[in-house]
Amino acid sequence: MNLLLKEIRHNPLLWLLGFVPVVFVVQKLKPEAHSLLFVLSVLAIVPLAALLSHATESVAAKTGDAVGSLLNATLGNLTELVIALAALRAGQYMLVKASVAGAIVTNALFMLGGSFLLGGLKHHVQEYNRLSARIQAGLLFLAPVALLIPSAISAADSAAQAGLTQKVSLGLAVLLIVTYGLSTLHSLKTHRELFASAEGGEVGDAPWPLGLALVTLAGVTVVVALVSEVFVESVQKAAEAFGMSPAFVGFIVVALVGAAAEMASAFSGARKNRLDLSVGIALGSASQIALFVAPVLVLLSYVIGPTPMDLQFWPGAVVMVLISTLTASLVTNGGRSTWFVGVLVLMVYLIFALTLYLLPPRPQ
Amino acid sequence: MNLLLKEIRHNPLLWLLGFVPVVFVVQKLKPEAHSLLFVLSVLAIVPLAALLSHATESVAAKTGDAVGSLLNATLGNLTELVIALAALRAGQYMLVKASVAGAIVTNALFMLGGSFLLGGLKHHVQEYNRLSARIQAGLLFLAPVALLIPSAISAADSAAQAGLTQKVSLGLAVLLIVTYGLSTLHSLKTHRELFASAEGGEVGDAPWPLGLALVTLAGVTVVVALVSEVFVESVQKAAEAFGMSPAFVGFIVVALVGAAAEMASAFSGARKNRLDLSVGIALGSASQIALFVAPVLVLLSYVIGPTPMDLQFWPGAVVMVLISTLTASLVTNGGRSTWFVGVLVLMVYLIFALTLYLLPPRPQ
Amino acid sequence: MNLLLKEIRHNPLLWLLGFVPVVFVVQKLKPEAHSLLFVLSVLAIVPLAALLSHATESVAAKTGDAVGSLLNATLGNLTELVIALAALRAGQYMLVKASVAGAIVTNALFMLGGSFLLGGLKHHVQEYNRLSARIQAGLLFLAPVALLIPSAISAADSAAQAGLTQKVSLGLAVLLIVTYGLSTLHSLKTHRELFASAEGGEVGDAPWPLGLALVTLAGVTVVVALVSEVFVESVQKAAEAFGMSPAFVGFIVVALVGAAAEMASAFSGARKNRLDLSVGIALGSASQIALFVAPVLVLLSYVIGPTPMDLQFWPGAVVMVLISTLTASLVTNGGRSTWFVGVLVLMVYLIFALTLYLLPPRPQ
């Protein structure tokens, strides 16, 4: 506990933690001040993400990058899962799908590209484990295939496919979850050594003891979930006030804030020349959302949703997911990167963001 | 001949050869027992494929993996060619195209993925010749380009393209055959050494003498062709009885049984850690169908078909061929594999199969 | 000057320079003899391209391949820029777009494939710098993404997107130019050493002194621009006389002649086993057109065009650009090539050319 307080005193970023209670107080007193709540909740999520990042790194220092990446991805995606569950209960399937597709794209492009750029600005050329990156990119590649194939095949005969889509989605959901399970078995059990780091990489700050790190992880995750809920409630209204289209909000803003925690870990790993950790978090998080969170939501929709949800996304979303995974695949093929590789990946993301931003306010 | 009999006595699988005469007898006596004939012909093809596999391996042991792969692909694809020719004569161009596209997809995904999985379960990490794999994957990549471009370009003006498609198809058929010829020149003549195996790899059983192997090859191929014909006649009716959609039968069932012979060779190569042989058979067989069998069928349709056949496939088939070759390309890029790489490739195939299986009974 | 004359006397190809004045004389006297002017201008451009190639190589010998490639790409693309500017002033946006897309495809496929083929016929296996090739292919990959995403995303709601496309195009143009600027900074400044050649490679002829080379570069570039204008004026009419479709002329003929200068440099580099120079020219030239020439034309259309031009291409063109960059990416991934890799890339180009040639005379 002393260690935690010392950390907070020395790191000015963590002073922002003061906004956490402010968020809850303002929500109680002025629940209709959406723009204010939006800004406050973003300010509160940032230091929480930083804390989460340090805690996860401390655990990773003890367990190796593979387990650390998995941990990061799982805990980071809790936020996305919480958001999506709220929307699912309300039957807002469009919002669920937009946030899922946006999270895949944001992880595979913004987080990966940002890591390459930030790491590359500090280190001239960075190396990372290409075999593990290739396998993770391959895993991610299943996502657009699963989203694309059903609509491509059934385009052949347009009619009589309403009930069909539902059956196909259910089958695909099971296939994807099985694949995700096997991938975990592969990377943590049978072929653990392939996912070891290419370079040593020194952890800058002294790692916390395991107990403190685990307790912080658990506690901060809960607080992040609570603040996220305030964020979700306020974001749509605030977006209108700031003049953003709903598609932009769903794909970009929600996804960026939802991924803030993992992003802090990934970027700090890249700065410390531990690019394996960064690539692992970015691709691992993207494939976890695609192959675990999304199919679980489909299955859960049978239990808690008003009607079953399918896996049919609007064509623009499928194309964006396809381009994202193709970019991630091509880029991580080589195992070396410089700052410009990061610029390339970020540009693909900016092209998406720009187009979504300028869209008239209807799709999604 | 003694050697052959000894082989049959020691290998329980080969006892299934007893079903070969049964197939012909039942066909004579009860030609309308489709479900029975279907099951019998599958049971008869399996041991024939195993025999073919051993004979081909014996030849390959004498000639090196490159010639061995080519031989495997050529002989294995005889089955597909026989099937397609029968359908071509009857003017059933939809069936011809479905079986061609299905064979490409099955070879590039199921055979490749199965080899990675079976080999990877026995050997921890397997290495193979990435340069030759990359060239073969590149060759295969021409297939979706040739199928995609004409429809993509002519989509610009929809009318007045009936006669056009025919001319384009004819030109593309010639281009593809020329490319296939040049690829053979390249891999067997000018750059033979690039296609040499990466690792030694011991052939488990003692190879047969060349004479016996060649005679077995020729004889068994003929028998396979005869049994295949029974299979094709019965499969459609049997499928209905078992409740499968025609698209599923054309793409998956026919393709799987048609490729049984090469599959036996590829899988046994993978188990013996000769992954170069497996990758060579899988990709070589797929590109032979795409770049040789398919264009030859187009040319032959001018001679033996009721009207000329074109190269225009339904969109779902084009997307599946494109995804398959892209997957094969990305996956074979690295030259190393584990069991999980096999799982990934097989999952893409399963996504196709599941969707086709659940399709309502009309397209194809 | 003496050196230049000696060069001309010893190189029979340069005797074709005699056609340069003939072009201008015939244009003055018989401006309506389109077919004749077309043939004459092609004959005149070839030796000019050869001169340009030798001059550029002499500069490259002093400055290294990276600067040399950039120089080549810039000067070579002046021709394309001149052509496009003339069409832009006339408001012929369809022609501008066809020539831009055609130039990307021709550089990425024909020039790259031709270099691999010509180099591979002379040298058994050629190696080149895969990291720099991969970064250049990644840069090029932004082009289809920028062309594809706006139409894919806005397909969601078809109406009310007329004004939108214009705003998106403007934003994308700025993004692409910024990326191009950063890529120059990366390859010439911060990571210059990554773009160094993999192999030594001897320059065959003695290089010219820097002064002569630079003067020749400048002078010949101007003459090429003048002859190009004659070529553009005559090509459309001549094409009709020779029975080619306008789509074929815009995509293939104009692009091939427009790229003649760089092609001469790229091919001669490949013959001298300096494949890094060839790959650098081919991919660098393609990405310069996609990320610099095309967006600059969009911006200039606000100043000199009758109405603003957007970045929306017809679907066939987008698919061709996508396939081209994907092919270039997959092929240059390995850093080794043989003649057959060149055949593969050229075949993709031939499939495009054949289809465009057989098209009925309307789209583009």
Side-chain angles (χ1 to χ4, degrees):
Chain A
M1 203 55 188
N2 262 359
L3 251 171
L4 189 57
L5 287 175
K6 212 176 91 188
E7 174 89 22
I8 292 176
R9 219 173 314 128
H10 281 90
N11 189 341
L13 189 67
L14 295 183
W15 298 352
L16 289 174
L17 283 174
F19 282 106
V20 175
V22 177
V23 168
F24 296 120
V25 170
V26 172
Q27 194 203 15
K28 207 84 210 169
L29 301 178
K30 294 189 97 189
E32 73 293 342
H34 297 297
S35 298
L36 178 64
L37 278 170
F38 170 76
V39 174
L40 284 175
S41 57
V42 170
L43 286 174
I45 286 177
V46 171
L48 289 169
L51 259 191
L52 213 47
S53 151
H54 194 152
T56 317
E57 270 174 31
S58 302
V59 179
K62 298 241 155 51
T63 55
D65 282 1
V67 182
S69 299
L70 188 74
L71 229 107
N72 258 307
T74 312
L75 294 174
N77 290 334
L78 258 178
T79 322
E80 277 93 341
L81 196 58
V82 168
I83 298 175
L85 279 177
L88 195 68
R89 255 195 315 264
Q92 293 195 21
Y93 293 161
M94 271 316 194
L95 182 64
V96 176
K97 289 176 182 179
S99 81
V100 162
I104 297 174
V105 168
T106 298
N107 283 299
L109 293 180
F110 187 82
M111 203 184 295
L112 189 70
S115 298
F116 285 155
L117 178 58
L118 290 177
L121 287 176
K122 189 160 175 193
H123 307 275
H124 192 65
V125 173
Q126 295 186 294
E127 312 252 337
Y128 55 93
N129 186 330
R130 45 195 290 204
L131 185 59
S132 82
R134 191 178 293 138
I135 288 176
Q136 285 175 306
L139 187 63
L140 188 54
F141 187 63
L142 280 185
V145 172
L147 298 181
L148 185 64
I149 286 304
S151 40
I153 291 182
S154 60
D157 65 329
S158 43
Q161 68 168 35
L164 169 77
T165 307
Q166 203 47 55
K167 271 197 292 181
V168 173
S169 298
L170 200 58
L172 289 180
V174 174
L175 276 188
L176 292 179
I177 292 177
V178 169
T179 311
Y180 189 72
L182 289 173
S183 95
T184 310
L185 181 72
H186 179 253
S187 63
L188 296 187
K189 205 81 183 249
T190 71
H191 286 71
R192 195 180 173 137
E193 83 288 354
L194 294 182
F195 292 81
S197 288
E199 78 280 357
E202 14 56 86
V203 180
D205 318 279
W208 291 341
L210 195 61
L212 173 64
L214 288 176
V215 168
T216 310
L217 272 182
V220 174
T221 301
V222 172
V223 180
V224 165
L226 292 174
V227 177
S228 296
E229 217 148 334
V230 178
F231 169 74
V232 173
E233 278 166 29
S234 62
V235 67
Q236 212 65 267
K237 288 275 166 66
E240 276 169 38
F242 296 138
M244 302 181 232
S245 75
F248 182 79
V249 170
F251 258 74
I252 306 292
V253 179
V254 172
L256 277 180
V257 176
E262 305 112 291
M263 239 176 281
S265 305
F267 292 167
S268 114
R271 297 295 287 177
K272 286 169 189 159
N273 211 12
R274 298 182 66 184
L275 213 51
D276 281 309
L277 187 66
S278 311
V279 174
I281 295 173
L283 297 186
S285 185
S287 44
Q288 201 185 38
I289 288 169
L291 279 81
F292 184 74
V293 173
V296 161
L297 289 171
V298 169
L299 298 184
L300 281 179
S301 73
Y302 283 81
V303 185
I304 65 171
T307 58
M309 187 176 86
D310 61 35
L311 270 177
Q312 197 137 33
F313 284 61
W314 55 285
V318 175
V319 172
M320 282 193 281
V321 171
L322 180 63
I323 296 278
S324 303
T325 60
L326 215 56
T327 305
S329 252
L330 290 174
V331 148
T332 56
N333 227 332
R336 299 177 71 188
S337 86
T338 70
W339 63 266
F340 186 65
V341 176
V343 169
L344 280 180
V345 178
L346 287 174
M347 278 296 163
V348 177
Y349 189 71
L350 278 179
I351 291 175
F352 293 176
L354 177 78
T355 312
L356 288 169
Y357 185 79
L358 292 175
L359 265 192
R362 218 226 48 219
Q364 183 201 72
Chain B
M1 204 56 188
N2 263 359
L3 252 172
L4 190 56
L5 287 175
K6 213 176 90 190
E7 174 90 21
I8 292 175
R9 218 172 318 128
H10 281 89
N11 188 342
L13 189 67
L14 296 182
W15 298 352
L16 290 174
L17 283 173
F19 282 107
V20 176
V22 176
V23 169
F24 297 120
V25 170
V26 171
Q27 192 202 15
K28 206 86 210 165
L29 300 179
K30 295 191 96 187
E32 73 294 343
H34 297 298
S35 298
L36 177 64
L37 278 170
F38 170 77
V39 173
L40 286 175
S41 57
V42 170
L43 286 174
I45 286 177
V46 171
L48 289 169
L51 260 190
L52 214 48
S53 151
H54 194 154
T56 317
E57 269 174 32
S58 302
V59 179
K62 297 242 156 44
T63 55
D65 282 1
V67 182
S69 300
L70 187 74
L71 229 107
N72 257 309
T74 313
L75 294 174
N77 290 335
L78 259 177
T79 322
E80 277 93 342
L81 195 57
V82 168
I83 297 175
L85 278 177
L88 194 67
R89 253 196 316 266
Q92 293 195 18
Y93 293 162
M94 269 319 194
L95 182 63
V96 176
K97 289 176 181 179
S99 81
V100 162
I104 297 174
V105 168
T106 299
N107 283 299
L109 293 180
F110 186 83
M111 204 184 294
L112 189 69
S115 299
F116 285 154
L117 178 58
L118 290 178
L121 287 177
K122 188 158 173 197
H123 307 275
H124 190 66
V125 173
Q126 294 186 295
E127 310 253 336
Y128 55 93
N129 186 330
R130 48 195 288 205
L131 186 58
S132 81
R134 191 178 293 138
I135 289 176
Q136 285 175 306
L139 188 62
L140 187 55
F141 187 64
L142 281 185
V145 173
L147 298 181
L148 183 64
I149 286 303
S151 41
I153 291 183
S154 60
D157 66 329
S158 44
Q161 69 168 34
L164 169 78
T165 307
Q166 203 47 56
K167 272 198 290 180
V168 172
S169 297
L170 200 58
L172 289 180
V174 173
L175 276 187
L176 291 179
I177 292 176
V178 168
T179 311
Y180 189 72
L182 289 173
S183 94
T184 311
L185 181 72
H186 179 253
S187 63
L188 296 187
K189 206 80 183 252
T190 70
H191 287 71
R192 194 178 173 139
E193 84 286 355
L194 294 182
F195 293 82
S197 287
E199 78 279 359
E202 13 57 85
V203 181
D205 320 279
W208 292 340
L210 195 60
L212 172 64
L214 287 176
V215 168
T216 310
L217 273 182
V220 173
T221 301
V222 171
V223 181
V224 166
L226 292 175
V227 177
S228 297
E229 219 147 337
V230 178
F231 169 74
V232 173
E233 278 165 28
S234 62
V235 67
Q236 211 66 265
K237 289 275 168 62
E240 276 168 38
F242 295 137
M244 301 182 231
S245 76
F248 182 79
V249 170
F251 257 74
I252 306 292
V253 179
V254 172
L256 278 179
V257 176
E262 304 112 290
M263 237 175 286
S265 305
F267 291 167
S268 113
R271 297 294 289 178
K272 286 168 190 159
N273 211 9
R274 298 183 65 186
L275 213 51
D276 281 309
L277 188 66
S278 311
V279 174
I281 294 173
L283 297 185
S285 185
S287 44
Q288 202 185 40
I289 287 170
L291 279 80
F292 184 75
V293 173
V296 161
L297 289 170
V298 168
L299 298 183
L300 281 178
S301 75
Y302 283 82
V303 185
I304 64 170
T307 58
M309 186 176 85
D310 60 35
L311 270 176
Q312 197 138 33
F313 283 61
W314 56 284
V318 175
V319 171
M320 282 193 280
V321 171
L322 180 64
I323 295 279
S324 305
T325 61
L326 214 58
T327 305
S329 252
L330 290 174
V331 149
T332 57
N333 228 332
R336 301 175 73 187
S337 86
T338 69
W339 64 265
F340 186 65
V341 176
V343 168
L344 280 180
V345 178
L346 287 174
M347 278 295 162
V348 177
Y349 189 73
L350 278 180
I351 291 175
F352 292 177
L354 177 79
T355 312
L356 288 168
Y357 184 78
L358 291 176
L359 264 192
R362 218 226 46 220
Q364 183 199 73
Chain C
M1 203 56 187
N2 262 0
L3 251 171
L4 189 55
L5 287 175
K6 215 176 87 188
E7 173 91 22
I8 292 176
R9 217 169 319 124
H10 282 90
N11 188 342
L13 189 69
L14 295 182
W15 298 351
L16 290 174
L17 283 173
F19 282 106
V20 176
V22 177
V23 168
F24 296 119
V25 171
V26 171
Q27 192 204 14
K28 205 86 212 168
L29 300 179
K30 294 191 98 186
E32 72 294 342
H34 297 298
S35 297
L36 178 65
L37 278 171
F38 170 77
V39 174
L40 285 175
S41 58
V42 171
L43 287 174
I45 285 176
V46 171
L48 288 168
L51 260 190
L52 214 49
S53 151
H54 193 152
T56 316
E57 270 175 29
S58 304
V59 179
K62 298 240 156 49
T63 55
D65 282 1
V67 182
S69 300
L70 186 75
L71 229 107
N72 257 309
T74 313
L75 294 174
N77 290 334
L78 258 176
T79 323
E80 278 93 341
L81 195 56
V82 168
I83 298 176
L85 279 177
L88 194 67
R89 256 196 314 266
Q92 293 196 18
Y93 294 160
M94 269 318 195
L95 183 63
V96 176
K97 289 177 181 178
S99 80
V100 162
I104 296 174
V105 169
T106 299
N107 283 299
L109 293 180
F110 187 82
M111 202 183 295
L112 188 70
S115 298
F116 285 153
L117 179 58
L118 290 177
L121 287 176
K122 190 160 173 195
H123 307 275
H124 191 66
V125 173
Q126 295 186 294
E127 310 252 337
Y128 54 93
N129 186 330
R130 46 194 289 206
L131 184 59
S132 81
R134 190 176 295 140
I135 288 177
Q136 285 176 306
L139 187 62
L140 188 55
F141 187 64
L142 281 185
V145 173
L147 298 181
L148 184 65
I149 286 304
S151 40
I153 290 182
S154 59
D157 65 327
S158 42
Q161 69 168 36
L164 169 77
T165 307
Q166 204 47 55
K167 271 198 291 181
V168 172
S169 298
L170 200 60
L172 289 179
V174 173
L175 277 188
L176 292 179
I177 292 177
V178 168
T179 312
Y180 189 71
L182 288 173
S183 94
T184 310
L185 181 72
H186 180 253
S187 63
L188 296 187
K189 207 78 184 253
T190 69
H191 287 71
R192 196 180 172 139
E193 83 288 354
L194 294 183
F195 293 82
S197 290
E199 79 279 0
E202 16 53 88
V203 181
D205 320 279
W208 292 342
L210 194 61
L212 173 63
L214 287 176
V215 169
T216 309
L217 272 182
V220 173
T221 301
V222 172
V223 181
V224 165
L226 292 174
V227 177
S228 297
E229 218 148 337
V230 178
F231 168 76
V232 173
E233 278 165 29
S234 62
V235 67
Q236 211 65 266
K237 289 275 167 64
E240 277 169 36
F242 295 138
M244 302 182 232
S245 76
F248 182 79
V249 170
F251 257 75
I252 306 293
V253 180
V254 172
L256 278 180
V257 177
E262 305 113 291
M263 239 176 282
S265 305
F267 292 167
S268 114
R271 298 294 288 176
K272 286 168 189 159
N273 210 10
R274 298 181 64 185
L275 213 51
D276 281 309
L277 188 65
S278 312
V279 173
I281 295 174
L283 297 185
S285 185
S287 44
Q288 202 186 38
I289 288 170
L291 278 79
F292 184 74
V293 174
V296 161
L297 289 171
V298 169
L299 298 184
L300 281 179
S301 74
Y302 283 82
V303 185
I304 66 171
T307 58
M309 186 175 87
D310 61 36
L311 270 177
Q312 197 139 34
F313 284 62
W314 57 282
V318 175
V319 172
M320 283 194 280
V321 171
L322 181 62
I323 296 278
S324 304
T325 59
L326 214 56
T327 306
S329 251
L330 290 174
V331 149
T332 56
N333 227 333
R336 300 178 72 187
S337 86
T338 70
W339 64 266
F340 186 66
V341 176
V343 168
L344 279 181
V345 178
L346 287 174
M347 277 297 162
V348 177
Y349 189 71
L350 279 179
I351 291 175
F352 293 176
L354 177 79
T355 312
L356 287 168
Y357 185 78
L358 292 176
L359 264 193
R362 220 227 45 221
Q364 183 199 72

